[in-house]
Amino acid sequence: MIHVLAFYLFAILVVSSGALTILSRNPVHSVLWLILAFFNAAGLMILLGAEFIAMLLVIVYVGAVAVLFLFVVMMLDIDFAELRAGFVSYLPFGLLIAAVLLAEIILGIGLWSVGPIELAQRAGPVNPELSNIQAIGGLLYTHYIFLFEAAGIVLLVAMIGAIVLTHRARGGVRPQNIAKQNRRRPQDATRNINQPVGQGVEL
């Protein structure tokens, strides 16, 4: 009974937070509602026994993506009135996407009502004594180690590409010479003079 109550509590909060994410007029409030939706979705994953996915939702989506959205929205000077003015022009495309998602949900519910999917015939055997995280880690670092390393290389190349594209040489800026700074002596930085009384300082 407690599991059923927890499921309905998390499910209602996820749906409500998702709706408020879309309907909120303030983008900052939308991001905060999105974070709440991620937390409740993580709670649903814990109820299903998929604690690894729940951890990913909290660490990756809440800790990185949603917080990054929040900082971008708060730091950039965005004209929200201008963004709302173009809402009507995007309404047909939004309705099309909503219709496609609704059709997929109806199709999924219809296929689920026909009969359960036998995952045991497709999935690899898993030791029932292992936890979810241990089973995923065992498969990830044994059978799929090369794919895992390839994904890391792709992310590394993407990060280097983003740095190269954003790092541009700007004119009118004094470059930093680290070797010259390290060779600088105290007598090169200061000068001791006997300043006469009544005269200004020479710069």
Side-chain angles (χ1 to χ4, degrees), residues 127-183:
N127 188 358
E129 297 180 357
L130 296 178
S131 64
N132 188 278
I133 298 178
Q134 288 177 332
I136 292 176
L139 288 175
L140 191 63
Y141 292 107
T142 55
H143 296 286
Y144 302 104
I145 182 63
F146 294 109
L147 295 177
F148 182 75
E149 295 293 336
I153 293 174
V154 170
L155 292 175
L156 177 63
V157 172
M159 181 183 67
I160 295 174
I163 295 174
V164 170
L165 290 175
T166 56
H167 184 72
R168 300 175 181 175
R170 295 179 297 174
V173 179
R174 293 183 61 184
Q176 183 180 11
N177 192 340
I178 299 177
K180 184 178 180 181
Q181 293 176 355
N182 292 333
R183 291 195 306 267

Side-chain angles (χ1 to χ4, degrees), residues 74 126 140 158 180 191:
M74 295 179 66
V126 178
L140 191 63
K180 184 178 180 181
R191 184 179 57 167

